[in-house]
């Protein structure tokens, strides 16, 4: 760790401001090349404290960098995580205002909803499946408060794992009898298939990502609570979204979830 | 016509000697009909050595691959008995040029399919079983570089394939069937059935429709490899590749020097 408490507070305030104004900031890793992942999580926790002070509530977590190619690209050998706040959940069937976002991308995920707490360390896939009330088809809209997505691991972790919005589908399916590894996902943008994938793209099994999360946050005294929603990581590559685009993900056995992006600001002719 | 036989012989030699050749489009191959005649002559050379026609295969079925090749249509090839491997066997890389493998959904037909106008529903109705397949492609062209026409002439780069041992009737939605490709136990690619033309049966329908142009049909008992669900993965010495498909089971191939 190399950042002072003052650095952490200043960078957290900058990131929060960047998100509220949809105005990105320079990479933290450019300005603080010595900052490490522990520093980045300190910044993320400070942003979390700011949001809770604003009246928001932590409703769960997301896991990121769950694909091996992404880990290689970021020079890490494990995933990262962020916090999901109540204000991030966007209702299906309502266009998502793009003006509030900077450079959004969409990822289809299998959301886990817990009905029992998960306390690390040593949480297994079996523990996760036993603690899962149901799964939902979900879309994560990721965004970066760093200019042009010029992110390294420190930037994305500090920026709450580049999370922005979550859209949940309406069908709850018990996990019993499902194999999350082989569950297929088809992602369409404006009706055209743009990506397909399967649950196994997420650390071999999305439940493994939840187990990793529970085990990892135990290291700092955290745990997953009954009722928490976990976004375990994407089944496909992230897809860029433009104003006016619609996106839909169909999940084997689970149904579908979709969202439209509003057309954006009116422009003078 | 002499060009057709010459080109087919050149590609056949390239395969048997494991020595790649320059694309035929650099030597005058210029239209699709001729490219399929080269393919037919190439397959005839295999049949003349005692092989049997066992089915068909599709290539360039994903939009990403079509865009990369600058075309908007898939292509088909014919598969013969000499290409069949059992799941779990190991391939000798000495017998190939630069093989790659891709996971697919294979259709085993219970009834013939004759175009034109074959639909996804027709394909599913005529299908007795579906199963996971690993399709080993090994372009006979230098550096795996070729155009759409070259690939047609080269029989869709076909080299070998293995089918899973579980045969199931096509009951689930194959468009949503998940596929995980593992190399040496690590997941390297994933996909769903819709990666092939929105539904893998649409690729089989495409082949049935195109075969009409050469007076052929897909025959009962044939296996049709419907096209790669993921990007192809190079087969390297000592590696083992496994494809698992939701509801369909697994298929494995190894590779050695």
């Amino acid at each position: 760790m190399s950042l002072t408490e003052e650095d952490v507070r200043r960078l957290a305030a900058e990131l929060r401001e960047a998100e509220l104004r949809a105005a990105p900031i320079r990479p933290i890793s450019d300005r603080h090349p010595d900052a490490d992942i522990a520093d980045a999580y300190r910044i993320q926790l400070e942003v979390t404290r700011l949001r809770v002070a604003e009246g928001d509530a932590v409703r769960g977590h997301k896991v990121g960098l769950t694909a091996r190619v992404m880990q290689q690209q970021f020079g890490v050998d494990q995933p990262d995580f962020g916090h999901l706040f109540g204000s991030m959940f966007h209702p299906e069937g309502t266009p998502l205002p793009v003006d509030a976002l900077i450079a959004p991308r969409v990822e289809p995920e299998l959301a886990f909803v817990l009905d029992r707490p998960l306390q690390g360390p040593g949480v297994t896939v079996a523990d996760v499946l036993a603690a899962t009330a149901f799964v939902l088809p979900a879309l994560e809209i990721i965004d970066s408060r760093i200019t042009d997505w010029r992110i390294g691991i420190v930037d994305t972790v500090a920026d709450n794992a580049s999370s922005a919005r979550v859209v949940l589908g309406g069908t709850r399916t018990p996990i019993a009898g499902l194999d999350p590894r082989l569950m297929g996902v088809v992602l369409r943008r404006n009706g055209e298939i743009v990506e397909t994938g399967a649950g196994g793209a997420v650390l071999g099994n999305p439940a493994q990502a939840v187990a990793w999360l529970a085990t990892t946050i135990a290291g700092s005294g955290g745990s997953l609570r009954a009722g928490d929603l976990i976004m375990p990581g994407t089944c496909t590559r992230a897809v860029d979204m433009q104003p006016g685009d619609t996106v839909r993900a169909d999940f084997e056995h689970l149904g579908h979830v979709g969202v439209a992006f509003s057309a954006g600001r009116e422009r003078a002719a | 016509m002499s060009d057709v036989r010459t080109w087919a012989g050149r590609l056949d030699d390239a395969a048997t000697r494991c020595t790649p050749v320059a694309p035929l489009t650099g030597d005058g191959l210029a239209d699709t009909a001729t490219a399929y005649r080269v393919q037919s002559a190439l397959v005839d050379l295999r049949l003349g050595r005692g092989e049997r026609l066992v089915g068909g295969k599709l290539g360039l079925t994903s939009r990403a691959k079509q865009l990369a090749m600058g075309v908007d249509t898939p292509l088909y090839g014919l598969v013969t008995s000499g290409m069949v491997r059992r799941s779990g066997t190991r391939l000798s890389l000495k017998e190939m040029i630069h093989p790659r493998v891709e996971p697919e959904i294979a259709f085993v037909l219970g009834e013939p399919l004759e175009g034109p106008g074959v639909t996804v529903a027709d394909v599913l109705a005529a299908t007795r079983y579906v199963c996971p397949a690993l399709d080993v492609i090994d372009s006979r062209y230098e550096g795996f570089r070729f155009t759409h026409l070259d690939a047609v002439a080269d029989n869709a780069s076909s080299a070998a394939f293995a089918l899973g041992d579980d045969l199931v009737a096509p009951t689930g939605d194959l468009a949503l069937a998940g596929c995980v490709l593992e190399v040496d136990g690590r997941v390297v690619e994933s996909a769903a059935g819709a990666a092939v033309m929105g539904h893998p049966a649409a690729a089989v329908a495409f082949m049935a429709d195109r075969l009409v142009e050469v007076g052929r049909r897909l025959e009962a008992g044939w296996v049709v490899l419907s096209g790669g669900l993921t990007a192809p993965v190079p087969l390297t010495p000592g590696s083992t590749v496994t494809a698992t498909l939701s509801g369909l089971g697994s298929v494995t191939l190894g590779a050695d020097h």
Side-chain angles (χ1 to χ4, degrees), chain A residues 4-78:
Chain A
T4 65
E5 284 305 313
E6 194 192 327
D7 289 333
V8 168
R9 275 195 298 273
R10 181 174 43 79
L11 292 166
E14 272 188 45
L15 283 167
R16 185 66 192 131
E17 192 69 11
E19 181 161 7
L20 289 170
R21 294 177 182 223
I25 61 172
R26 276 179 56 210
I28 292 168
S29 49
D30 279 2
R31 292 180 280 162
H32 299 276
D34 294 335
D36 59 16
I37 295 177
D39 289 318
Y41 278 111
R42 288 166 67 205
I43 298 169
Q44 184 189 121
L45 273 177
E46 179 61 17
V47 175
T48 300
R49 200 190 60 74
L50 291 173
R51 295 183 76 139
V52 170
E54 291 165 14
D56 217 339
V58 175
R59 297 308 317 274
H61 288 80
K62 67 158 286 186
V63 185
L65 303 181
T66 46
R68 183 161 167 77
V69 285
M70 289 299 291
Q71 291 178 11
Q72 285 170 336
Q73 191 180 319
F74 281 80
V76 294
D77 59 4
Q78 57 175 324

Side-chain angles (χ1 to χ4, degrees), chain A residues 66 110 112 125-126 128-129 175 178-182 198-212 232-233, chain B residues 180 187:
Chain A
T66 46
L110 179 66
F112 284 66
V125 164
V128 172
L129 296 179
I175 192 90
L178 293 181
D179 186 341
R181 298 173 300 178
L182 295 179
V202 183
L203 293 186
N205 184 344
Q208 179 56 44
V210 181
W212 174 86
Chain B
V180 170
V187 176

Side-chain angles (χ1 to χ4, degrees), chain B residues 85-236:
Chain B
R85 302 290 184 276
R86 276 196 57 82
S87 178
T89 55
R90 302 192 70 80
L91 303 172
S92 170
L93 294 177
K94 280 198 291 282
E95 294 162 14
M96 299 190 183
I97 302 168
H98 38 208
R100 300 176 182 178
V101 64
E102 42 192 29
E104 308 196 5
I105 294 174
F107 290 71
V108 180
L109 299 181
E111 296 165 38
L113 273 170
E114 188 164 0
V118 176
T119 66
V120 165
D122 295 332
V123 172
L124 293 174
T127 298
R128 179 166 292 164
Y129 304 116
V130 286
C131 63
L134 280 174
D135 185 22
V136 179
I137 55 175
D138 191 24
S139 172
R140 266 58 66 169
Y141 300 115
E142 292 155 355
F144 233 103
R145 296 174 63 83
F146 47 78
T147 67
H148 189 259
L149 288 182
D150 292 310
V152 167
D154 189 26
N155 198 20
S157 307
S158 60
F161 68 93
L163 303 179
D165 293 324
D166 268 352
L167 296 169
V168 299
T171 49
D173 185 350
L174 292 174
L176 294 180
C179 168
V180 170
L181 185 69
E182 290 165 271
V183 176
D184 299 332
R186 185 190 291 282
V187 176
V188 294
E189 295 279 349
S190 81
V196 170
M197 298 178 71
H199 193 299
V204 180
F206 168 88
M207 181 165 178
D209 282 349
R210 289 286 89 73
L211 281 179
V212 175
E213 293 159 11
V214 291
R216 283 187 131 134
R217 64 179 191 180
L218 297 174
E219 302 291 346
W222 274 19
V223 55
V224 183
L225 304 169
S226 59
L229 294 165
T230 71
V233 172
L235 268 180
T236 53

Side-chain angles (χ1 to χ4, degrees), chain A:
Chain A
M1 289 196 288
S2 74
L3 296 184
T4 65
E5 284 305 313
E6 194 192 327
D7 289 333
V8 168
R9 275 195 298 273
R10 181 174 43 79
L11 292 166
E14 272 188 45
L15 283 167
R16 185 66 192 131
E17 192 69 11
E19 181 161 7
L20 289 170
R21 294 177 182 223
I25 61 172
R26 276 179 56 210
I28 292 168
S29 49
D30 279 2
R31 292 180 280 162
H32 299 276
D34 294 335
D36 59 16
I37 295 177
D39 289 318
Y41 278 111
R42 288 166 67 205
I43 298 169
Q44 184 189 121
L45 273 177
E46 179 61 17
V47 175
T48 300
R49 200 190 60 74
L50 291 173
R51 295 183 76 139
V52 170
E54 291 165 14
D56 217 339
V58 175
R59 297 308 317 274
H61 288 80
K62 67 158 286 186
V63 185
L65 303 181
T66 46
R68 183 161 167 77
V69 285
M70 289 299 291
Q71 291 178 11
Q72 285 170 336
Q73 191 180 319
F74 281 80
V76 294
D77 59 4
Q78 57 175 324
D80 66 355
F81 70 84
H83 293 74
L84 298 179
F85 299 91
S87 63
M88 292 167 60
F89 289 81
H90 180 82
E92 204 183 17
T94 306
L96 184 70
V98 290
D99 293 352
L101 302 172
I102 299 166
R105 296 174 178 171
V106 172
E107 301 179 331
E109 305 198 16
L110 179 66
F112 284 66
V113 178
L114 305 182
D115 61 359
R116 301 218 305 253
L118 275 173
Q119 174 69 60
V123 174
T124 67
V125 164
D127 297 328
V128 172
L129 296 179
T132 299
F134 56 89
V135 290
L136 288 172
L139 294 171
E140 184 182 3
I141 290 94
I142 56 171
D143 198 9
S144 182
R145 272 59 63 173
I146 306 294
T147 303
D148 300 329
W149 281 95
R150 281 168 38 218
I151 55 173
I153 183 68
V154 165
D155 298 293
T156 187
V157 167
D159 189 24
N160 200 24
S162 306
S163 59
R165 298 286 186 277
V166 173
V167 181
L168 300 175
T171 313
R172 52 180 280 175
T173 305
I175 192 90
L178 293 181
D179 186 341
R181 298 173 300 178
L182 295 179
M183 191 174 295
V185 183
V186 178
L187 188 67
R188 285 180 174 82
R189 181 175 56 201
N190 303 329
E192 185 181 8
I193 295 170
V194 285
E195 290 286 341
T196 75
V202 183
L203 293 186
N205 184 344
Q208 179 56 44
V210 181
W212 174 86
L213 174 69
T215 299
T216 300
I217 63 175
S220 54
S223 64
L224 301 180
R225 304 162 300 182
D228 275 1
L229 183 138
I230 317 300
M231 296 288 277
T234 183
C235 300
T236 70
R237 276 183 289 268
V239 171
D240 289 329
M241 298 301 293
Q242 300 298 325
D245 283 349
T246 61
V247 64
R248 169 182 165 127
D250 286 86
F251 289 73
E252 190 178 23
H253 308 306
L254 298 189
H256 62 89
V257 56
V259 72
F261 282 61
S262 69
R265 292 185 185 86
E266 294 292 324
R267 289 210 177 85

